[in-house]
Structures are given as structure tokens and as C-alpha cells.
Amino acid sequence: MHIFSQSFKYDHSWSHVVIGMWHKYPNPHCTHVVNVDVLDRTIDPVTGIIRTERVLGCKQKAPSWIVKLFGGSEDAFVREISFIDPATQIATITSINLSLSQFATCYERIQYRPMSSTQTSFTQTAEIQVRMAMWRSMTDKFEDWLVQRFEQNAISGKAGFSDVLRTMWEAKEQQTAPS
Amino acid sequence: MAHSLSAECTPLKHEYDACFNTWFEGYLEPAIANASTKGHSQDQRIEYSKLKKEEYDRKCGSIWAKYKDCVQKAVTERGLGELLSQARQENPLREPPPPDASGSS
């Protein structure tokens, strides 16, 4: 597993950053995000917390061998869940890849919190994990298949060569056989 | 505003996003002020949240229903339905996660 993290600050109030969150795309620096949809949204009437579930479609620049091996497409999708809590002034955004998630997961968490009335901190952590169990079962299957192929080829190779030897030598051996 | 997954839903999405954003911008600052004002009781805060939620439902509820329907279909057509339900099972994320310890001071 690989862990990535970074943090920095924006020179804007927390409310401006959080309002800006909904206007983040499209943006010329993130042209890979091509569509954004809200799938679910709830406003808790007691806590005032807003939970939003979105799906983001991106043009992925996956290495071509990944696309060939795993049959991915040019489009990759990410599920994003955000919580905005005005009482604690914490906004948390969690994103997890939907595409190719059977092979690897990228779990990203972003938090925006106020540092002062004009500054907001941004912290980001991401865990990237390849699903070893999946790889293992895949490599095991591949290995089994190779062994089977080898055994099969070995059997048919033996049968084939036996035939060749027989047709080559049978007649001669009969001729020269001591009578 | 970004496009929807399906071109058919994009006009609905834009209408819904505009409705939500207007509501949200009016909601946020007083909600923050409510929470940090000592004179405000918890009951007052809850009353505000409740009123604002009702306002949101009244103003954006019908466009949300139409947009949600459209997107739901698009999700199924794009073959994302199963991936999504699997993802929701693995990480429901129904509750806000605990504050990040390494966050701001």
C-alpha cells in the first residue's frame, strides 16, 4: 500500500472555500474531469450536516497495457462522498475509484478547516492499494492454465512424434528385420 | 457547470445545481454564525436547520426528483449500477468521518 499526503492553505474563508467546492469543475487545470453528477443528497435537519454523493467521470490516462489487460475504457469513474458540517466547520470529501476497483483502489480524503477568518487549511491523504488477493487468484489461474497447456502440448507432442517415427521407420524396420 | 453523464440529463442537472447553490449560499453563513454565537441555544440551531431543510425541499425538491430519475437511468445504461452498489456496500460512508488528526491547528 502506498500512502500519499499533503497539506496547504487557501487565502479564503472556510465558507468561501466550501461554496467554491461546488464550482470546482469545469476548470482548465482539471480537464480530465468531464462530468459530475449528484446521486444522493441529504440535509440533516438536526445537525445541519449536508451529505452529498457524486459520481465524477474522467478521461483517464491509464497506461495502454492496463487498458488491454483489464479491458478498461477511456472513461474512469470516481465516487465521491462529502460532508459539510457548518457547526464544526469541517468539510470532508472522500473519493474512491469505481473503475478498475476490482484490481486496485485509490481512497482519497480531503478536509477543509478554518485556520482564521480569512484562511482555510487543506489536507489530503490517499491510500493506493492493489488487491493482492485478486492478483494472486489471477496469477494462480494463469499458472494453472499454463501448466494445463504444457501438459496437453507434451501429450500431443509425444503422440505426434511417435507417429512421425513410426511412419519413418516402420517400413524400413520391417524390411531389414531378420527373417 | 460541468456536464452530466448523459447529455439528456445536463439541462436538468444545471437547473438543479443552480437551485442548490443558491440555497446553499444562503444557508451556510447563518449556520456558521448560529453555531459560534454563544447566545444561541441548541434548540435555535435545530430550528434553523429544520426550516432551511424545508425551504430546500420546497424550492429544489421537484427539479431534484426529475434530475435524480434521469441520472439513475444514465448510471444503469453506463453499466455503473453494480459498481456503485458494491462500492456503497464496502464503504457506506453514511456518517461524517472523525476529524483528521493531522489537520489544521
Side-chain angles (χ1 to χ4, degrees):
Chain A
M1 183 168 74
H2 290 276
I3 297 178
F4 165 89
S5 74
Q6 66 165 345
S7 59
F8 51 84
K9 65 175 201 280
Y10 287 107
D11 289 322
H12 295 280
S13 67
W14 185 77
S15 64
H16 282 185
V17 168
V18 171
I19 287 168
M21 261 173 60
W22 308 118
H23 300 275
K24 192 172 167 190
Y25 306 111
N27 126 24
H29 296 287
C30 301
T31 51
H32 61 286
V33 173
V34 289
N35 52 64
V36 179
D37 278 295
V38 179
L39 297 179
D40 189 37
R41 179 169 273 148
T42 51
I43 297 154
D44 191 313
V46 176
T47 61
I49 296 174
I50 300 172
R51 178 189 185 273
T52 306
E53 181 180 34
R54 303 199 296 180
V55 63
L56 282 69
C58 322
K59 286 271 171 248
Q60 69 176 350
K61 290 181 187 116
S64 61
W65 68 268
I66 288 185
V67 176
K68 275 181 198 146
L69 254 180
F70 304 125
S73 73
E74 230 201 306
D75 299 323
F77 294 95
V78 172
R79 172 177 172 246
E80 177 207 85
I81 287 97
S82 60
F83 291 93
I84 296 172
D85 186 345
T88 59
Q89 293 191 65
I90 298 177
T92 310
I93 303 108
T94 307
S95 308
I96 310 159
N97 62 305
L98 284 175
S99 305
L100 300 177
S101 56
Q102 63 271 50
F103 303 112
T105 51
C106 179
Y107 191 101
E108 182 204 55
R109 181 159 287 170
I110 288 173
Q111 250 176 17
Y112 294 106
R113 297 162 83 180
M115 294 175 82
S116 71
S117 59
T118 57
Q119 287 185 327
T120 303
S121 74
F122 164 96
T123 57
Q124 178 187 35
T125 58
E127 294 172 11
I128 297 162
Q129 193 163 29
V130 168
R131 300 202 167 178
M132 286 312 288
M134 270 297 166
W135 284 101
R136 186 155 301 149
S137 83
M138 249 182 54
T139 54
D140 281 355
K141 270 185 201 142
F142 187 54
E143 205 175 88
D144 287 351
W145 180 77
L146 284 175
V147 169
Q148 269 176 23
R149 294 280 306 176
F150 186 85
E151 284 172 355
Q152 228 161 41
N153 287 343
I155 293 166
S156 50
K158 179 172 174 274
F161 193 45
S162 300
D163 280 354
V164 170
L165 287 177
R166 199 168 46 242
T167 48
M168 254 182 86
W169 300 115
E170 229 168 35
K172 257 186 199 167
E173 281 165 1
Q174 273 171 6
Q175 275 173 17
T176 58
S179 43
Chain B
M1 276 186 260
H3 292 281
S4 170
L5 192 59
S6 139
E8 191 197 335
C9 309
T10 297
L12 295 171
K13 174 199 146 60
H14 286 176
E15 199 186 326
Y16 169 71
D17 278 352
C19 188
F20 172 77
N21 286 335
T22 304
W23 174 84
F24 183 67
E25 284 162 35
Y27 166 76
L28 193 62
E29 304 254 6
I32 296 170
N34 272 345
S36 51
T37 307
K38 285 197 175 76
H40 284 212
S41 68
Q42 194 170 348
D43 289 348
Q44 278 172 300
R45 284 203 292 271
I46 293 175
E47 186 58 23
Y48 175 78
S49 297
K50 203 176 138 243
L51 280 175
K52 291 304 272 186
K53 187 196 167 351
E54 282 166 11
E55 183 196 308
Y56 167 79
D57 288 341
R58 202 166 54 242
K59 288 186 170 164
C60 306
S62 70
I63 182 65
W64 166 241
K66 282 184 223 159
Y67 168 52
K68 195 180 177 179
D69 262 11
C70 192
V71 137
Q72 202 56 55
K73 264 182 234 147
V75 160
T76 312
E77 277 163 20
R78 294 295 292 266
L80 292 173
E82 205 173 309
L83 282 174
L84 263 173
S85 59
Q86 201 185 318
R88 284 171 177 156
Q89 232 169 28
E90 270 182 48
N91 293 290
L93 293 160
R94 297 306 312 177
E95 299 299 321
D100 182 359
S102 65
S104 73
S105 49

